[in-house]
Amino acid sequence: MNLTDATLVLLLAARIHGTDEAIRASAKNVVKKLPGGKRDLIYKVIDSRTPLDLVNYLSQHLDD
């Protein structure tokens, strides 16, 4: 798994479930499958107070 795959999982969790708990659970699941150097973004999602807002923000700024 790479960071693009993990980001896609988070975006799908936000789209399908739309809850902070679902996004946090998905992030905890994929962070174990990423190489150590690529885990920073996922840990920020896990530690965020509002992971849904963070993932929505990330999705709006993917092209930047």
Side-chain angles (χ1 to χ4, degrees):
M1 179 174 282
N2 59 31
L3 189 57
T4 303
D5 298 333
T7 305
L8 181 61
V9 168
L10 297 179
L11 291 172
L12 286 170
R15 175 73 179 210
I16 294 168
H17 300 289
T19 65
D20 289 334
E21 294 81 19
I23 294 171
R24 192 172 283 120
S26 297
K28 286 179 181 179
N29 189 10
V30 298
V31 76
K32 300 171 192 172
K33 299 174 184 169
L34 287 173
K38 305 288 183 182
R39 295 180 179 182
D40 293 340
L41 176 66
I42 307 302
Y43 279 131
K44 289 182 189 224
V45 172
I46 293 170
D47 295 337
S48 174
R49 286 185 168 191
T50 55
L52 181 60
D53 292 340
L54 181 57
V55 170
N56 285 334
Y57 176 81
L58 291 173
S59 69
Q60 293 173 358
H61 294 91
L62 282 177
D63 292 335
D64 293 347

